[in-house]
Amino acid sequence: MNHQLTSTQAFWLGHLHHAFSLGQSLSRYAHEQGLSFADLMVWRQRLMIQKIVVPDMHRPNRFVSVAVVP
């Protein structure tokens, strides 16, 4: 589907792609870029509702496997 993006849509989509390319969580990316995490999430949802393809969110591993040695 061809969709002409508005400048606002392009702004937020660009940030979403940049965060994904850096492999950063959106919360960390927003903090480092001086953006509101809430705004970034709202725009991610808005773009998805408008059928605009957004990159997956990077979700760092929360658990690390360990070996227990007796």
Side-chain angles (χ1 to χ4, degrees), residues 20 23-26 41 44 56-62:
F20 178 77
Q24 291 184 333
S25 66
L26 293 182
M41 292 301 291
R44 182 178 186 278
D56 292 332
M57 290 192 303
H58 176 72
R59 296 182 187 262
N61 293 333
R62 299 203 184 267

Side-chain angles (χ1 to χ4, degrees), residues 16-70:
L16 292 168
H17 278 286
H18 194 220
F20 178 77
S21 71
L22 294 173
Q24 291 184 333
S25 66
L26 293 182
S27 60
R28 179 176 176 182
Y29 178 81
H31 175 75
E32 289 182 359
Q33 296 295 315
L35 300 171
S36 161
F37 173 65
D39 287 345
L40 191 56
M41 292 301 291
V42 165
W43 273 99
R44 182 178 186 278
Q45 186 65 31
R46 282 183 186 172
L47 294 169
M48 289 171 49
I49 289 169
Q50 296 167 4
K51 306 286 190 224
I52 298 170
V53 178
V54 299
D56 292 332
M57 290 192 303
H58 176 72
R59 296 182 187 262
N61 293 333
R62 299 203 184 267
F63 297 97
V64 178
S65 60
V66 295
V68 178
V69 180

